[in-house]
Amino acid sequence: MSNNLTPARVVAPGRILSRELEARGWTQKDLANIIKRPPQAINEIIQGTKKITPETALELSDAFGTSADFWNNLEANYRLHLAKKQKKDSDIQRRSRLYNLVPIDELIKRQWIPLTDSIDDLEKAVCDFLEISSPNDTPKLAVNCRYNRQLGTENTALLAWMKRVEYLARQQEVGTFNREQLRAAIPDILACAESEEKIAQIPSLLLDLGIHFVIVFHLNKTYLDGAAFYLENNPVIALTLRHDRIDCFWFTLMHELAHIEAGHQGVYLDNIDYLESNPEEEEANQKARDWLISPDAFESFIAKTNPKFLRKAIEDFAQADKRHPGIIVGRLQHDDVIGYNTLRKYLVKVRSYLTNWTDS
């Protein structure tokens, strides 16, 4: 155990000097006359704005019958205390800046940055993560960011999520992207919507098409389900699996693919519960809906289905359309045809089929 104990409270030399004057009934002017110093100098020492020099320490020791070391030590300890306090305040300011940049605790929890007690190490870890040289720099994404603010998204968490997606996407090798090849491959992608097990084939299909595919769970207050953007010349699709259900997976995936197939540029960060109302989002919505379920077939199904035989009708429609029943149920729930608690057994989880593509 260290013997270097830190006092809980450090008394300013000026306070001790003031007490010595009170004990003797002297004024500041009296002491100034005794040691032949200007009264202002005595006042500045008492106020703490002027240091006690070795020469002054000798004069005070003669005046009060103390040792010069007593006054020198008081001054040295006090100045050291101020220096440590100033450094501590500086560290607090540095940490505050870092916490304003990213949600530090979540990044440490996910092991995106290491746990450390050193402010220098923490600062370096955050800068490396954000790809900036200094905490005073403005972090940049691969492209400009546009996202839904309906639920008060935290910019820091959103930025951190995007930087993690970028990092993981850069680790992948993908083919050359061609939009016409993507259009031609949509039926092959949708062929995997027949059963939950076939979802495991999706990442490889996308990578062969030159599309990065990444799953990074959403951070607190981001409310994200998916994102689409470009990394150099290749698109990136990132999912959060915030709603771990087969209907949400397929709608989100096809919505992001629709942005890419339609040639929409920029970043699309989508919350499927509160999609932003603009022409590009509406176009992506419509494409995703029509790709997943034929509009004419769906209308016919709604018109002729007897509610008493809903379960059997859904299973038959899903089989005929080569879609998982959960996709049909999710659409019926979204369109308020059935309640959200109806036939939930079909809304199976999909996360286990994408383990190898999920950020650990």
Side-chain angles (χ1 to χ4, degrees):
M1 182 181 295
S2 173
N3 291 322
N4 296 324
L5 301 180
T6 302
R9 182 184 179 193
V10 176
V11 180
R15 180 171 294 185
I16 300 299
L17 178 57
S18 181
R19 289 176 180 173
E20 289 290 342
L21 293 178
E22 290 177 4
R24 289 165 174 75
W26 294 352
T27 64
Q28 294 180 21
K29 185 177 180 181
D30 291 336
L31 179 60
N33 290 332
I34 292 171
I35 64 175
K36 298 300 182 182
R37 290 292 186 99
Q40 182 181 352
I42 305 301
N43 182 261
E44 288 174 351
I45 292 175
I46 289 177
Q47 297 300 322
T49 59
K50 185 178 181 65
K51 295 181 181 180
I52 296 178
T53 64
E55 292 77 10
T56 305
L58 286 170
E59 293 168 353
L60 293 176
S61 69
D62 289 341
F64 296 120
T66 59
S67 68
D69 287 342
F70 171 77
W71 295 103
N72 275 329
N73 290 338
L74 275 178
E75 183 64 37
N77 289 336
Y78 180 64
R79 296 300 165 182
L80 180 61
H81 167 73
L82 291 181
K84 288 180 177 179
K85 184 176 183 298
Q86 184 176 8
K87 182 178 185 302
K88 183 178 180 181
D89 290 343
S90 176
D91 288 352
I92 290 173
Q93 292 168 357
R94 290 170 68 188
R95 284 194 179 87
S96 175
R97 172 62 179 161
L98 296 178
Y99 274 79
N100 282 330
L101 284 175
V102 289
I104 297 292
D105 289 345
E106 280 211 76
L107 267 59
I108 291 174
K109 181 179 179 180
R110 297 192 183 200
Q111 298 182 18
W112 294 357
I113 62 173
L115 174 65
T116 177
D117 291 330
S118 166
I119 180 59
D120 292 331
D121 291 343
L122 181 62
E123 203 169 75
K124 182 180 185 305
V126 171
C127 287
D128 289 347
F129 177 81
L130 294 176
E131 298 179 299
I132 55 179
S133 58
S134 164
N136 294 318
D137 294 343
T138 301
K140 292 182 174 60
L141 296 170
V143 287
N144 291 330
C145 186
R146 183 186 59 76
Y147 59 94
N148 184 295
R149 290 180 170 81
Q150 182 73 27
L151 296 179
T153 301
E154 286 280 339
N155 289 346
T156 56
L158 181 64
L159 174 67
W161 185 85
M162 285 293 295
K163 293 303 291 186
R164 182 62 176 177
V165 168
E166 277 188 12
Y167 169 79
L168 294 174
R170 288 196 186 103
Q171 314 309 307
Q172 297 176 340
E173 293 185 8
V174 295
T176 302
F177 173 70
N178 180 284
R179 187 162 287 106
E180 291 303 321
Q181 288 180 347
L182 169 60
R183 291 191 180 109
I186 293 296
D188 294 331
I189 294 171
L190 288 169
C192 297
E194 188 173 3
S195 68
E196 63 262 37
E197 292 83 3
K198 289 186 177 181
I199 286 174
Q201 301 174 23
I202 292 296
S204 296
L205 284 174
L206 295 179
L207 264 63
D208 289 342
L209 290 167
I211 301 173
H212 295 281
F213 180 78
V214 176
I215 296 176
V216 178
F217 298 143
H218 77 291
L219 291 158
N220 286 339
K221 300 181 181 179
T222 55
Y223 308 105
L224 286 176
D225 293 294
F229 62 97
Y230 285 81
L231 194 60
E232 297 178 353
N233 296 320
N234 291 90
V236 178
I237 288 181
L239 304 182
T240 68
L241 300 184
R242 183 167 68 98
H243 299 298
D244 187 9
R245 298 172 7 185
I246 192 166
D247 61 319
C248 292
F249 167 80
W250 274 107
F251 179 78
T252 306
L253 174 66
M254 300 314 294
H255 181 92
E256 306 310 336
L257 277 173
H259 281 307
I260 296 169
E261 186 269 347
H264 298 163
Q265 298 298 313
V267 171
Y268 294 85
L269 302 180
D270 294 314
N271 170 355
I272 64 173
D273 297 324
Y274 297 93
L275 281 170
E276 196 172 323
S277 179
N278 64 60
E280 291 184 347
E281 290 291 4
E282 291 173 4
E283 182 181 5
N285 267 346
Q286 195 61 53
K287 281 180 178 287
R289 288 162 65 93
D290 294 349
W291 280 339
L292 284 169
I293 305 175
S294 166
D296 293 340
F298 188 67
E299 288 181 12
S300 176
F301 166 76
I302 295 296
K304 70 181 183 181
T305 297
N306 186 332
K308 292 182 179 180
F309 306 102
L310 181 61
R311 181 176 302 180
K312 181 67 166 58
I314 287 174
E315 291 177 351
D316 290 344
F317 178 53
Q319 185 175 11
D321 213 33
K322 295 185 178 181
R323 296 290 183 264
H324 189 281
I327 296 174
I328 312 301
V329 170
R331 174 68 176 276
L332 292 171
Q333 290 180 349
H334 181 270
D335 291 357
D336 293 326
V337 177
I338 63 175
Y340 273 89
N341 292 322
T342 305
L343 302 177
R344 293 190 65 86
K345 74 170 189 175
Y346 292 112
L347 305 179
V348 297
K349 297 181 183 297
V350 302
R351 184 177 294 181
S352 62
Y353 301 104
L354 297 164
T355 302
N356 293 335
W357 303 91
T358 302
D359 182 27
S360 59

